[in-house]
């Protein structure tokens, strides 16, 4: 079984618990205004790599994972390649490697449910708290993501909610308070991470000749994130 792979990060600490290898899968149906990986969108891009080959790569870094770390599949939208993840995660599980999926939560089907059975932590990119913002800045209905979250809760799957904080869109107390309410409602949510909006991706957009919708928006400061975290 091969997957369409965008890139492989040997070790990182930004995508789930502990130190992790991150596999970025190619292809995404959404068009988030804040996307910092537009080069992962094209389903025809990427490189075909077998699950076995990726697993062997991951295994080389196993000693660095410690108790909490492991592997995260990200993207793009990784859950559009469920068969590949099922094979990769099955190999990881037999070797005692912890698994995480970083997803927009826009796809839920029987194959995705099989992936989730093999997933220790879901990093759910819950991008906004209103449907209006979802429609304008993501290109999908928020209801899909809520359905996904409800399913995670029904399965008691450990979930981290992640939200990029963007000026004039969601950098306000009400939005963060709504995330807090979400955590009260769903026991599966173990953590909420507020992430600063950054524009490091601007060169990628230029190279791809794609307009970056938030080119004029200011980056979010660490102080603003800390201030908003108080409402959690
Ligand atoms: S879901 Fe992720 S990869 Fe897809 S457009 Fe949004 S931020 Fe980019």
């Amino acid at each position: 079984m091969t997957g369409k792979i965008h890139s492989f990060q040997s070790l990182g600490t930004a995508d789930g618990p502990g130190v992790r290898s991150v596999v970025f899968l190619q292809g995404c149906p959404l068009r988030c205004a804040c996307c910092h990986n537009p080069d992962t969108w094209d389903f025809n891009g990427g490189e075909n790599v077998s699950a076995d080959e990726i697993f062997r790569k991951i295994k080389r870094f196993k000693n660095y994972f410690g108790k909490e770390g492991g592997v995260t599949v990200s993207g793009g939208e990784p859950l559009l390649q469920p068969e590949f993840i099922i094979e990769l995660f099955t190999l990881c599980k037999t070797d005692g490697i912890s698994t995480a999926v970083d997803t927009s939560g826009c796809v839920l089907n029987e194959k995705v449910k099989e992936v989730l059975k093999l997933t220790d932590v879901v990093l759910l990119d819950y991008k906004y708290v209103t449907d209006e913002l979802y429609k304008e800045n993501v290109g999908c209905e928020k209801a899909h993501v809520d359905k996904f979250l409800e399913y995670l809760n029904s399965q008691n799957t450990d979930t981290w909610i992640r939200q990029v904080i963007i000026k004039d869109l969601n950098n306000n107390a009400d939005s963060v308070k709504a995330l807090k309410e979400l955590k009260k409602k769903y026991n599966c949510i173990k953590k909420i991470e507020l992430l600063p909006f950054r524009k490091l991706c601007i060169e990628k957009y230029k190279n791809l000749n794609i307009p970056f919708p938030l080119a004029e928006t200011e980056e979010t400061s660490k102080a603003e994130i800390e201030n908003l975290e108080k409402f959690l």
Side-chain angles (χ1 to χ4, degrees):
M1 176 85 225
T2 62
K4 279 226 163 222
I5 308 296
H6 171 270
S7 54
F8 179 84
Q9 184 185 8
S10 315
L11 294 168
T13 53
D15 294 291
V19 176
R20 315 185 74 84
S21 290
V22 187
V23 187
F24 293 91
L25 302 195
Q26 184 73 27
C28 184
L30 303 183
R31 292 295 178 263
C32 302
C34 66
C35 181
H36 56 258
N37 288 328
D39 46 338
T40 64
W41 291 349
D42 184 1
F43 288 100
N44 296 315
E47 198 188 335
N48 287 313
V49 187
S50 72
D52 194 53
E53 193 178 332
I54 294 286
F55 172 64
R56 279 186 274 122
K57 255 183 159 177
I58 292 164
K59 248 187 111 153
R60 278 195 256 144
F61 302 99
K62 194 181 166 185
N63 286 344
Y64 298 96
F65 295 161
K67 272 190 191 156
E68 290 199 317
V71 60
T72 299
V73 291
S74 183
E77 175 46 68
L79 292 178
L80 288 174
Q81 299 187 55
E83 282 99 348
F84 171 77
I85 305 177
I86 289 165
E87 192 169 322
L88 177 64
F89 279 9
T90 303
L91 290 166
C92 290
K93 285 278 159 199
T94 50
D95 207 46
I97 295 172
S98 163
T99 57
V101 173
D102 175 17
T103 178
S104 64
C106 70
V107 200
L108 184 62
N109 54 40
E110 290 311 309
K111 283 281 169 203
V112 167
K113 288 177 184 175
E114 270 184 59
V115 172
L116 295 173
K117 277 193 196 122
L118 295 161
T119 305
D120 295 310
V121 184
V122 171
L123 312 175
L124 180 60
D125 300 318
Y126 200 92
K127 293 167 192 298
Y128 302 101
V129 296
T130 70
D131 192 41
E132 200 186 354
L133 285 170
Y134 254 94
K135 281 187 185 140
E136 280 171 13
N137 300 287
V138 177
C140 84
E141 288 177 20
K142 180 172 161 287
H144 291 300
V145 187
D146 284 324
K147 201 172 144 204
F148 193 90
L149 180 55
E150 263 164 40
Y151 180 75
L152 294 175
N153 200 50
S154 73
Q155 302 301 303
N156 288 320
T157 307
D158 282 4
T159 302
W160 290 14
I161 295 286
R162 310 212 295 176
Q163 190 170 99
V164 176
I165 299 298
I166 307 165
K167 187 170 190 272
D168 297 334
L169 290 179
N170 59 354
N171 65 333
N172 58 77
D174 284 349
S175 175
V176 178
K177 282 179 191 166
L179 289 179
K180 188 181 172 183
E181 288 306 308
L182 210 62
K183 189 164 185 286
K184 277 191 206 159
K185 187 172 169 192
Y186 297 109
N187 285 329
C188 68
I189 299 176
K190 304 299 173 204
K191 188 172 179 176
I192 297 175
E193 286 187 317
L194 305 182
L195 309 170
F197 168 65
R198 292 272 179 262
K199 294 200 282 190
L200 289 169
C201 56
I202 220 155
E203 279 304 311
K204 287 188 189 176
Y205 279 90
K206 274 187 194 152
N207 293 338
L208 291 164
N209 216 4
I210 300 172
F212 180 34
L214 301 180
E216 303 305 321
T217 303
E218 276 171 39
E219 291 193 332
T220 308
S221 68
K222 198 172 166 229
E224 183 159 22
I225 295 290
E226 283 169 2
N227 192 37
L228 288 171
E229 278 172 346
K230 289 180 192 148
F231 298 101
L232 291 173

